[in-house]
Amino acid sequence: MTQQTHATPQAVAEGAPGSGLAQGWCALSALHSRIESHIERALQAQHDLSVREFSVINVLSEQHSGPGGHLRMHQVADAVVLSQSATTRLVTRLEDRGLLERYLCPDDRRGIYTNVTPDGLTLLAEARPTHDTALREALQDAAQRPELAPLVTAVETLAPLE
């Protein structure tokens, strides 16, 4: 009979191989979850909009008429980190709400582009301050937690909030 030994949480935290990397990933995941849930609550309460819906409308609002200015569904999916099928369902829901519209690519009839409607642009403009305020609040809250503070600093260094 072999005796199994299990590392205590303290032993793992103090230097088991790979524990620093795992701790860093857990902290990053916790920061992301905290931020996303805070923004989600704010957007839902004030604009009946999810974080993913906001992200899709925001990405599509940045399209332009020049080369590479329009996005196909797989590009939208990549930009908002969703599967193509989930992105298609999300775009369909937003289209049903009158916030997006799809049309065939004039150069390649197999391609479908999606544009933000005037109502979608209005909602985006109304929701952006809510999104940005919720993001600032979530980062300020996370900065108070020692395990998250270095990540908050990194985020703020990458893209300083206005």
Side-chain angles (χ1 to χ4, degrees):
M1 179 173 188
T2 25
Q3 181 179 1
Q4 289 185 321
T5 59
H6 297 284
T8 66
Q10 183 178 2
V12 170
E14 289 178 354
S19 65
L21 186 59
Q23 285 177 329
W25 169 244
C26 287
L28 182 59
S29 180
L31 178 63
H32 177 269
S33 295
R34 286 172 168 275
I35 291 170
E36 188 171 62
S37 65
H38 189 78
I39 295 171
E40 180 81 26
R41 285 189 302 271
L43 288 174
Q44 283 289 348
Q46 295 181 42
H47 306 285
D48 192 28
L49 200 60
S50 73
V51 170
R52 297 288 189 205
E53 291 168 336
F54 177 90
S55 295
V56 167
I57 295 170
N58 186 53
V59 163
L60 290 171
S61 75
E62 295 171 358
Q63 295 186 114
H64 55 83
S65 296
H70 290 279
L71 302 176
R72 293 183 184 226
M73 283 303 221
H74 73 276
Q75 294 170 303
V76 175
D78 287 347
V80 297
V81 193
L82 285 175
S83 68
Q84 267 192 267
S85 61
T87 302
T88 299
R89 288 190 302 273
L90 184 57
V91 165
T92 298
R93 284 195 310 270
L94 292 169
E95 189 176 35
D96 290 346
R97 288 177 60 184
L99 303 174
L100 301 178
E101 59 189 2
R102 287 184 252 200
Y103 64 95
L104 290 175
C105 171
D107 301 333
D108 178 1
R109 302 302 277 177
R110 295 170 297 169
I112 297 176
Y113 291 142
T114 305
N115 271 342
V116 182
T117 64
D119 286 348
L121 291 172
T122 298
L123 181 58
L124 180 63
E126 292 169 354
R128 189 177 309 282
T130 301
H131 175 277
D132 294 350
T133 297
L135 174 58
R136 281 187 198 93
E137 290 169 354
L139 287 170
Q140 287 170 354
D141 180 57
Q144 303 307 309
R145 303 179 70 87
E147 71 277 15
L148 300 179
L151 294 171
V152 171
T153 299
V155 169
E156 291 173 341
T157 300
L158 289 172
L161 295 175
E162 299 166 7

